[in-house]
Amino acid sequence: MPSRRAALRLLAATAGAVVLPAPVFAQARHSYDLRPEPVLPGIWMIEGSTEYFSRENGGAIVNCAVLQGQTGLIVVDTGSSRRYGEALSATLRKLDLRGVSAVVNTHHHPDHYFGNQVFADRPIIALGGTMEAARSNGDAFSDNMYRLLGDWMRGTEPVPPNTVIASDEVQIDGRRFTALPLAGHTEADLVLVDAETGLMIAGDLAFLDRAPTTPHADLATWQASLDTLQAVAAPAILPGHGPLDRTGASLRQTSAYLTWLSETLTEAARTGQDMVEIMATPLPAEFAGMGAQPEEFHRSVSHLFPALERAILPRAN
Ligand SMILES: [Zn+2]
């Protein structure tokens, strides 16, 4: 096979100029630029990109919440790689020299917990279902994340949560929360409501201006969880992806999108469309502008449509 170097030599000879070949396997030095923004007294948000995982964004697509505890900082969700966790740890020492005292994982998706490795000697708190799902899916997630993110993932090993949270009223490093054990985005989705400020940390039950993801979703259960969250009437919501929400728009938008997704796929199954036809259908304007579209819609079609189709179509024999 002709090498790139040989091709460049040929090009140089043809052009009569000296061309120095670029190093083919040069590795860019990647680093995360994490910026905690104060959102409420004693609370910061690190806002992720609303794109899908890529080698450009290094998987920094998730929101992290940072709250002042009694002996350090409480971090909710730790990003998608060891390197992200290291950047988080270093950045947060600038806010509180004592660093991170406790970690919470809202659910078992890798962009929310693969930074845990850096905090393995501290309490890493989650629902029991999240701990189990992280244990059983960690290796498969890891393979996929290496494929998507390459060098950003170097040295990353999935570290599941180590502490199961109680429900209702809890204290984490002296800070009081209401813990809501919900589900629907995955089989175990934790929502924390901060007692002091009312901030709701919704994990991936709420997305804002970024398409919801559905690889482990149960849409009806998710809608029921959104009803529960609406009833809390929180003054501010930190969604799993997208900007801070002070109006409840993230809950309404996520619900509207899931309703549309369910109706669209059900109708497609009833009228005998196949996945390629559904994917070719333009998205309504209100959903087309969300981050990671139409890719996320296409992924949802492949996650959700086969089962829906089996449920609706009469079996051939
Ligand atoms: Zn998720």
Side-chain angles (χ1 to χ4, degrees), residues 49-61 144-145 147-149 210-211 213 215 241 291-293 295-296 299 303:
S49 158
T50 55
E51 301 161 348
Y52 190 62
F53 296 107
S54 74
R55 296 192 182 207
E56 284 69 45
N57 62 37
I61 65 166
N144 194 38
M145 295 289 276
R147 187 177 60 75
L148 290 166
L149 300 178
R210 199 281 185 198
T213 64
H241 301 262
Q293 291 286 41
E295 296 82 1
E296 212 61 74
R299 268 187 283 277
H303 300 147

Tab-separated table of all heavy atoms in Angstrom, residues 49-61 144-145 147-149 210-211 213 215 241 291-293 295-296 299 303:
chain	number	residue	atom	x	y	z
A	49	SER	N	-21.119	20.684	26.742
A	49	SER	CA	-21.545	20.957	25.370
A	49	SER	C	-22.855	20.209	25.102
A	49	SER	O	-23.106	19.148	25.673
A	49	SER	CB	-20.454	20.465	24.426
A	49	SER	OG	-20.994	20.224	23.147
A	50	THR	N	-23.695	20.751	24.229
A	50	THR	CA	-24.948	20.053	23.902
A	50	THR	C	-24.797	19.154	22.665
A	50	THR	O	-25.774	18.697	22.092
A	50	THR	CB	-26.099	21.054	23.679
A	50	THR	OG1	-25.701	21.986	22.683
A	50	THR	CG2	-26.447	21.787	24.961
A	51	GLU	N	-23.538	18.889	22.293
A	51	GLU	CA	-23.288	17.991	21.158
A	51	GLU	C	-23.293	16.531	21.621
A	51	GLU	O	-23.388	16.243	22.806
A	51	GLU	CB	-21.891	18.280	20.582
A	51	GLU	CG	-21.694	19.696	20.103
A	51	GLU	CD	-20.210	20.048	19.993
A	51	GLU	OE1	-19.364	19.284	20.496
A	51	GLU	OE2	-19.920	21.089	19.395
A	52	TYR	N	-23.112	15.629	20.656
A	52	TYR	CA	-22.876	14.225	20.973
A	52	TYR	C	-21.375	14.070	21.282
A	52	TYR	O	-20.576	14.967	21.020
A	52	TYR	CB	-23.288	13.348	19.775
A	52	TYR	CG	-23.309	11.867	20.095
A	52	TYR	CD1	-24.178	11.364	21.065
A	52	TYR	CD2	-22.454	10.986	19.436
A	52	TYR	CE1	-24.196	10.009	21.365
A	52	TYR	CE2	-22.474	9.624	19.730
A	52	TYR	CZ	-23.339	9.143	20.698
A	52	TYR	OH	-23.356	7.815	20.998
A	53	PHE	N	-20.983	12.905	21.846
A	53	PHE	CA	-19.565	12.623	22.105
A	53	PHE	C	-18.748	12.802	20.827
A	53	PHE	O	-19.133	12.302	19.769
A	53	PHE	CB	-19.368	11.165	22.516
A	53	PHE	CG	-20.035	10.780	23.799
A	53	PHE	CD1	-21.168	9.986	23.789
A	53	PHE	CD2	-19.516	11.186	25.015
A	53	PHE	CE1	-21.779	9.596	24.971
A	53	PHE	CE2	-20.123	10.805	26.199
A	53	PHE	CZ	-21.255	10.009	26.179
A	54	SER	N	-17.606	13.465	20.929
A	54	SER	CA	-16.724	13.540	19.767
A	54	SER	C	-15.291	13.711	20.231
A	54	SER	O	-15.038	14.048	21.398
A	54	SER	CB	-17.100	14.738	18.876
A	54	SER	OG	-16.685	15.943	19.494
A	55	ARG	N	-14.364	13.488	19.301
A	55	ARG	CA	-12.950	13.675	19.656
A	55	ARG	C	-12.613	15.153	19.787
A	55	ARG	O	-11.568	15.501	20.313
A	55	ARG	CB	-12.063	12.980	18.627
A	55	ARG	CG	-12.333	11.478	18.687
A	55	ARG	CD	-11.358	10.628	17.940
A	55	ARG	NE	-11.793	9.239	18.056
A	55	ARG	CZ	-11.004	8.192	18.000
A	55	ARG	NH1	-9.716	8.360	17.835
A	55	ARG	NH2	-11.487	6.974	18.117
A	56	GLU	N	-13.510	16.013	19.299
A	56	GLU	CA	-13.305	17.452	19.483
A	56	GLU	C	-13.682	17.871	20.906
A	56	GLU	O	-12.959	18.621	21.551
A	56	GLU	CB	-14.136	18.260	18.472
A	56	GLU	CG	-13.570	18.275	17.061
A	56	GLU	CD	-13.654	16.903	16.383
A	56	GLU	OE1	-14.722	16.250	16.476
A	56	GLU	OE2	-12.647	16.478	15.791
A	57	ASN	N	-14.837	17.386	21.388
A	57	ASN	CA	-15.267	17.832	22.729
A	57	ASN	C	-14.765	16.920	23.850
A	57	ASN	O	-14.964	17.215	25.033
A	57	ASN	CB	-16.790	18.017	22.794
A	57	ASN	CG	-17.570	16.730	22.535
A	57	ASN	OD1	-17.165	15.658	22.948
A	57	ASN	ND2	-18.704	16.859	21.852
A	58	GLY	N	-14.133	15.800	23.508
A	58	GLY	CA	-13.575	14.914	24.527
A	58	GLY	C	-14.621	14.315	25.448
A	58	GLY	O	-14.305	13.823	26.522
A	59	GLY	N	-15.876	14.385	25.037
A	59	GLY	CA	-16.942	13.821	25.872
A	59	GLY	C	-17.392	14.764	26.984
A	59	GLY	O	-18.126	14.349	27.885
A	60	ALA	N	-16.969	16.035	26.917
A	60	ALA	CA	-17.388	17.000	27.951
A	60	ALA	C	-18.770	17.532	27.600
A	60	ALA	O	-18.962	18.703	27.287
A	60	ALA	CB	-16.372	18.134	28.054
A	61	ILE	N	-19.755	16.631	27.655
A	61	ILE	CA	-21.096	16.978	27.191
A	61	ILE	C	-22.103	16.992	28.339
A	61	ILE	O	-23.283	17.188	28.117
A	61	ILE	CB	-21.571	15.985	26.109
A	61	ILE	CG1	-21.723	14.572	26.687
A	61	ILE	CG2	-20.627	15.986	24.922
A	61	ILE	CD1	-22.488	13.630	25.782
A	144	ASN	N	-17.021	1.277	24.287
A	144	ASN	CA	-17.679	2.222	23.394
A	144	ASN	C	-17.078	3.624	23.530
A	144	ASN	O	-16.860	4.325	22.535
A	144	ASN	CB	-19.182	2.249	23.717
A	144	ASN	CG	-19.977	2.922	22.629
A	144	ASN	OD1	-19.682	2.763	21.446
A	144	ASN	ND2	-20.969	3.693	23.016
A	145	MET	N	-16.772	4.018	24.748
A	145	MET	CA	-16.227	5.359	24.958
A	145	MET	C	-14.807	5.483	24.382
A	145	MET	O	-14.448	6.529	23.840
A	145	MET	CB	-16.219	5.697	26.451
A	145	MET	CG	-17.602	5.798	27.053
A	145	MET	SD	-18.489	7.266	26.486
A	145	MET	CE	-17.833	8.459	27.630
A	147	ARG	N	-13.840	3.931	21.788
A	147	ARG	CA	-14.065	4.021	20.341
A	147	ARG	C	-14.471	5.444	19.947
A	147	ARG	O	-14.017	5.981	18.934
A	147	ARG	CB	-15.165	3.016	19.957
A	147	ARG	CG	-15.403	2.848	18.481
A	147	ARG	CD	-16.462	1.778	18.216
A	147	ARG	NE	-17.746	2.071	18.817
A	147	ARG	CZ	-18.634	2.967	18.382
A	147	ARG	NH1	-18.348	3.685	17.308
A	147	ARG	NH2	-19.786	3.172	18.999
A	148	LEU	N	-15.308	6.074	20.773
A	148	LEU	CA	-15.816	7.409	20.435
A	148	LEU	C	-14.802	8.518	20.714
A	148	LEU	O	-14.741	9.503	19.991
A	148	LEU	CB	-17.085	7.712	21.249
A	148	LEU	CG	-18.340	6.922	20.880
A	148	LEU	CD1	-19.397	7.070	21.970
A	148	LEU	CD2	-18.900	7.406	19.550
A	149	LEU	N	-14.018	8.359	21.771
A	149	LEU	CA	-13.212	9.487	22.262
A	149	LEU	C	-11.705	9.281	22.123
A	149	LEU	O	-10.936	10.230	22.302
A	149	LEU	CB	-13.539	9.775	23.736
A	149	LEU	CG	-14.993	10.132	24.032
A	149	LEU	CD1	-15.204	10.355	25.521
A	149	LEU	CD2	-15.423	11.377	23.252
A	210	ARG	N	-31.388	20.339	24.147
A	210	ARG	CA	-30.505	19.248	23.722
A	210	ARG	C	-31.394	18.005	23.679
A	210	ARG	O	-32.145	17.764	24.612
A	210	ARG	CB	-29.387	19.084	24.759
A	210	ARG	CG	-28.156	18.343	24.289
A	210	ARG	CD	-28.314	16.853	24.278
A	210	ARG	NE	-27.052	16.191	23.927
A	210	ARG	CZ	-26.995	14.926	23.516
A	210	ARG	NH1	-28.104	14.197	23.381
A	210	ARG	NH2	-25.826	14.379	23.235
A	211	ALA	N	-31.305	17.257	22.603
A	211	ALA	CA	-32.216	16.120	22.433
A	211	ALA	C	-32.019	15.088	23.536
A	211	ALA	O	-30.888	14.687	23.819
A	211	ALA	CB	-31.983	15.485	21.082
A	213	THR	N	-31.732	11.504	25.352
A	213	THR	CA	-31.187	10.233	24.885
A	213	THR	C	-32.013	9.082	25.474
A	213	THR	O	-32.532	9.194	26.584
A	213	THR	CB	-29.723	10.055	25.319
A	213	THR	OG1	-29.668	9.983	26.747
A	213	THR	CG2	-28.875	11.217	24.847
A	215	PRO	N	-31.191	5.277	25.217
A	215	PRO	CA	-30.745	3.880	25.072
A	215	PRO	C	-31.291	2.943	26.146
A	215	PRO	O	-31.406	1.753	25.903
A	215	PRO	CB	-29.217	3.979	25.160
A	215	PRO	CG	-28.948	5.256	25.857
A	215	PRO	CD	-30.064	6.184	25.445
A	241	HIS	N	-28.283	17.862	30.704
A	241	HIS	CA	-27.646	18.458	29.525
A	241	HIS	C	-28.419	19.725	29.166
A	241	HIS	O	-29.645	19.708	29.125
A	241	HIS	CB	-27.666	17.483	28.338
A	241	HIS	CG	-26.972	16.184	28.630
A	241	HIS	ND1	-25.671	15.912	28.248
A	241	HIS	CD2	-27.400	15.073	29.285
A	241	HIS	CE1	-25.327	14.693	28.649
A	241	HIS	NE2	-26.364	14.160	29.288
A	291	GLY	N	-29.732	20.561	20.406
A	291	GLY	CA	-28.390	20.017	20.202
A	291	GLY	C	-28.461	18.523	19.911
A	291	GLY	O	-29.354	17.832	20.407
A	292	ALA	N	-27.523	18.040	19.097
A	292	ALA	CA	-27.370	16.612	18.766
A	292	ALA	C	-28.521	16.053	17.934
A	292	ALA	O	-28.767	14.848	17.923
A	292	ALA	CB	-27.160	15.763	20.022
A	293	GLN	N	-29.236	16.919	17.240
A	293	GLN	CA	-30.251	16.460	16.290
A	293	GLN	C	-29.737	16.609	14.863
A	293	GLN	O	-28.959	17.516	14.603
A	293	GLN	CB	-31.549	17.288	16.417
A	293	GLN	CG	-32.304	17.056	17.695
A	293	GLN	CD	-33.032	15.718	17.752
A	293	GLN	OE1	-32.489	14.690	17.317
A	293	GLN	NE2	-34.213	15.720	18.319
A	295	GLU	N	-29.222	13.393	14.918
A	295	GLU	CA	-28.537	12.138	15.268
A	295	GLU	C	-29.229	11.444	16.449
A	295	GLU	O	-29.387	10.227	16.462
A	295	GLU	CB	-27.073	12.397	15.621
A	295	GLU	CG	-26.236	12.932	14.455
A	295	GLU	CD	-26.373	14.428	14.244
A	295	GLU	OE1	-27.103	15.099	15.018
A	295	GLU	OE2	-25.770	14.943	13.278
A	296	GLU	N	-29.626	12.236	17.449
A	296	GLU	CA	-30.214	11.612	18.639
A	296	GLU	C	-31.589	11.003	18.313
A	296	GLU	O	-31.936	9.946	18.844
A	296	GLU	CB	-30.313	12.648	19.756
A	296	GLU	CG	-30.156	12.078	21.144
A	296	GLU	CD	-28.812	11.405	21.388
A	296	GLU	OE1	-27.777	12.067	21.545
A	296	GLU	OE2	-28.837	10.165	21.418
A	299	ARG	N	-30.899	7.740	16.710
A	299	ARG	CA	-30.550	6.724	17.712
A	299	ARG	C	-31.799	6.231	18.444
A	299	ARG	O	-31.952	5.038	18.709
A	299	ARG	CB	-29.538	7.297	18.725
A	299	ARG	CG	-28.090	7.043	18.317
A	299	ARG	CD	-27.130	7.470	19.412
A	299	ARG	NE	-26.991	8.914	19.422
A	299	ARG	CZ	-26.167	9.581	18.617
A	299	ARG	NH1	-25.383	8.939	17.777
A	299	ARG	NH2	-26.104	10.891	18.671
A	303	HIS	N	-33.247	2.515	18.960
A	303	HIS	CA	-33.443	1.923	20.300
A	303	HIS	C	-34.876	1.439	20.493
A	303	HIS	O	-35.110	0.396	21.103
A	303	HIS	CB	-33.234	2.961	21.418
A	303	HIS	CG	-31.888	3.591	21.463
A	303	HIS	ND1	-31.690	4.900	21.861
A	303	HIS	CD2	-30.667	3.097	21.174
A	303	HIS	CE1	-30.407	5.187	21.801
A	303	HIS	NE2	-29.770	4.114	21.384
